Amino acid sequence: MDIHMIWAIIAIVAAVVAIGIIAFVLWQRKSSQSSSATRVSDTQVPATELGSTSETKSDEQLEQVEESLRPAQEDNPHQAEEEAQPQTSPATSERNQSIDKPEDGGTRLQRLRSRLSHSANPFGKALFNILTRDNLSEADWEEVEDTLLLADVGTDTSMEIVEELRRNARVMDAHDASAIRNLLREQLLHAVNTDKEGDAYNRELELHKSSQSADGGEPHVLMMVGVNGSGKTTTTGKLARLLIGEGYEKIVLGAADTFRAAAADQLQTWGDRVGVNVVRSDKEDADPASVAFEAAETAQNQNAQVLIVDTAGRLQNKANLMDELGKIRRVVEKRVPVQEVLLVLDATTGQNGMVQAKVFAEAIGITGIVLTKLDGSAKGGIVISVQRELGVPVKLVGLGEGPDDLARFDAEGFVDGILGD
């Protein structure tokens, strides 16, 4: 037999054996998978059977629960209705718990005296140190006048105070520090409490003339005016806190400063903190008078005691701003009269703030002044000069950045503070 034939036969036999081995392996694997699938199907519950069983158990449990509740409902037929009443949501409960409790007026006045006495410019102390010198010379009296002028008291008022002090100092022992202090205190109190004609200021807010009951009549309206940056919107929110702390329960805030970005959001935050309703517009550049009118309408419908309207303060458009403020007042007074127009003035601006104050006083007419940032670097004499120039009293003062750092102006506390009592 040829050698080539032999190798061909061997190759054919090897191929047949290999094919047989491969076929056997594949058959074994298929058999194993089939066996495993059979075991799984034997242990599982058919889907239809499972659903049927679950539904049956669920129905049985429901019947048991209904059966257990039925006697109680039969004994008390109103119980089901009571349980069905809507419950306070966690969000509402959390919001109620987050409402702040403002400080009362007494605490604020104590802080007024403390902060004024520790401020950077307690000019009363400087005056006291001069007046207790032996044998006051002309130079000493000039120093007294310069101290008053540097404190923004104003030229005319400074001369009046110096003249009165000189007249009384002639018959007073300079070594009697207590007597000198009492004399200085008396003169400063007179300057703070009286106008150019010597008449005493009335610092009460007009809202005190009404009943504090919810049905005590129309809401009393306060308009807040002032240039941007004076703290007007913040003061509006703080004033709401102050009135809440004094016992007023129904207050509405009107966000009529629609020209400044985020002013309405800022006021909304202040209102939410003390549970006060804020009337605002969701549209940018909305008509301020429309917002104010809606706020007045809301205050009437809700029997509010006080409505505080925040306004724009873009002094760079002076004519337009004053026209807009006049329009707001006229529109609000179609619903309720405006009792107070409070000018918010930054005390740190000193005599420069007088120019701003005069613009508002001439254009819209103001009934009172709110001096912000009176603590710290403010020169306390601005209280005297702004009152004398505008002929209206300072009714409220801001003492710092805290939410309760707004207080009714107290002349005695102010003078004692600047004297360093």
Side-chain angles (χ1 to χ4, degrees):
M1 181 178 293
D2 190 0
I3 188 65
H4 296 289
M5 183 64 71
I6 295 174
W7 280 111
I9 294 171
I10 293 173
I12 292 171
V13 171
V16 171
V17 172
I19 292 172
I21 293 172
I22 292 173
F24 178 77
V25 171
L26 292 175
W27 178 80
Q28 286 284 356
R29 184 177 297 176
K30 184 176 181 180
S31 298
S32 175
Q33 290 177 351
S34 175
S35 173
S36 177
T38 302
R39 287 194 300 272
V40 171
S41 64
D42 290 341
T43 58
Q44 288 182 336
V45 179
T48 55
E49 184 178 342
L50 177 62
S52 176
T53 304
S54 176
E55 291 175 1
T56 302
K57 290 182 178 180
S58 178
D59 292 342
E60 292 177 355
Q61 292 174 351
L62 181 60
E63 290 178 0
Q64 292 176 0
V65 172
E66 290 178 348
E67 185 66 26
S68 64
L69 292 176
R70 189 171 295 116
Q73 294 177 355
E74 291 176 355
D75 294 340
N76 186 4
H78 299 290
Q79 180 178 356
E81 296 180 4
E82 293 175 356
E83 293 176 351
Q85 294 296 321
Q87 302 295 321
T88 302
S89 65
T92 302
S93 177
E94 182 179 350
R95 185 166 59 251
N96 292 337
Q97 293 176 359
S98 65
I99 293 178
D100 295 350
K101 183 179 180 181
E103 291 182 358
D104 58 26
T107 306
R108 295 168 187 258
L109 291 177
Q110 291 175 5
R111 191 159 61 254
L112 167 65
R113 297 190 184 198
S114 174
R115 293 194 176 179
L116 285 173
S117 63
H118 293 90
S119 65
N121 295 293
F123 69 91
K125 293 181 180 179
L127 293 176
F128 178 73
N129 292 334
I130 298 171
L131 294 174
T132 52
R133 296 173 184 170
D134 290 334
N135 301 320
L136 291 174
S137 64
E138 191 65 29
D140 292 329
W141 287 113
E142 290 180 0
E143 187 176 352
V144 170
E145 186 173 350
D146 290 341
T147 301
L148 292 169
L149 290 173
L150 290 174
D152 285 331
V153 172
T155 304
D156 294 339
T157 307
S158 296
M159 294 177 62
E160 291 176 12
I161 293 176
V162 170
E163 183 179 349
E164 191 66 25
L165 287 173
R166 293 186 72 162
R167 183 165 50 250
N168 288 280
R170 295 190 186 99
V171 293
M172 187 172 294
D173 183 3
H175 296 286
D176 190 347
S178 177
I180 292 292
R181 185 188 182 283
N182 288 335
L183 173 63
L184 181 57
R185 183 177 187 274
E186 180 182 343
Q187 292 303 313
L188 290 175
L189 271 176
H190 178 77
V192 171
N193 277 330
T194 59
D195 58 19
K196 291 180 179 179
E197 286 71 34
D199 297 327
Y201 291 116
N202 176 20
R203 302 188 191 278
E204 293 295 331
L205 294 174
E206 287 295 319
L207 57 90
H208 275 291
K209 295 180 180 179
S210 68
S211 170
Q212 291 192 17
S213 63
D215 57 351
E218 295 285 358
H220 279 242
V221 182
L222 290 77
M223 276 184 63
M224 311 296 288
V225 301
V227 299
N228 287 342
S230 61
K232 177 170 46 59
T233 300
T234 298
T235 300
T236 302
K238 289 183 178 182
L239 179 55
R241 289 182 63 93
L242 173 64
L243 296 179
I244 290 290
E246 291 181 350
Y248 289 86
E249 299 175 353
K250 289 191 175 183
I251 299 174
V252 174
L253 299 179
D257 183 358
T258 61
F259 297 106
R260 185 171 66 86
D265 292 336
Q266 183 182 356
L267 196 62
Q268 184 73 59
T269 300
W270 281 103
D272 290 343
R273 292 179 67 175
V274 289
V276 169
N277 186 21
V278 178
V279 178
R280 55 179 294 181
S281 175
D282 294 329
K283 299 178 181 179
E284 294 184 2
D285 294 332
D287 180 28
S290 298
V291 177
F293 181 82
E294 184 181 350
E297 192 173 42
T298 300
Q300 274 189 319
N301 295 337
Q302 295 182 357
N303 293 322
Q305 297 160 294
V306 182
L307 167 64
I308 310 174
V309 181
D310 183 29
T311 62
R314 303 173 302 158
L315 193 59
Q316 62 270 27
N317 298 322
K318 184 174 68 174
N320 293 337
L321 172 61
M322 298 309 157
D323 290 343
E324 189 62 53
L325 292 176
K327 179 182 177 183
I328 290 174
R329 180 166 188 168
R330 290 192 303 271
V331 167
V332 170
E333 289 186 332
K334 291 181 179 179
R335 303 287 307 195
V336 287
V338 176
Q339 283 84 10
E340 291 273 6
V341 180
L342 299 178
L343 171 65
V344 182
L345 192 63
D346 184 345
T348 62
T349 60
Q351 290 297 321
N352 293 331
M354 294 299 300
V355 178
Q356 303 171 2
K358 289 178 180 178
V359 171
F360 284 94
E362 294 170 359
I364 190 173
I366 58 176
T367 60
I369 304 163
V370 183
L371 275 179
T372 62
K373 308 174 188 177
L374 189 59
D375 62 318
S377 61
K379 299 175 181 179
I382 188 67
V383 172
I384 299 172
S385 59
V386 74
Q387 291 184 145
R388 293 289 179 96
E389 288 291 331
L390 302 180
V392 294
V394 172
K395 295 191 174 184
L396 299 160
V397 289
L399 310 172
E401 301 297 329
D404 291 311
D405 286 341
L406 181 73
R408 291 180 181 273
F409 181 74
D410 175 61
E412 292 189 2
F414 171 74
V415 170
D416 289 340
I418 61 178
L419 284 174
D421 185 24

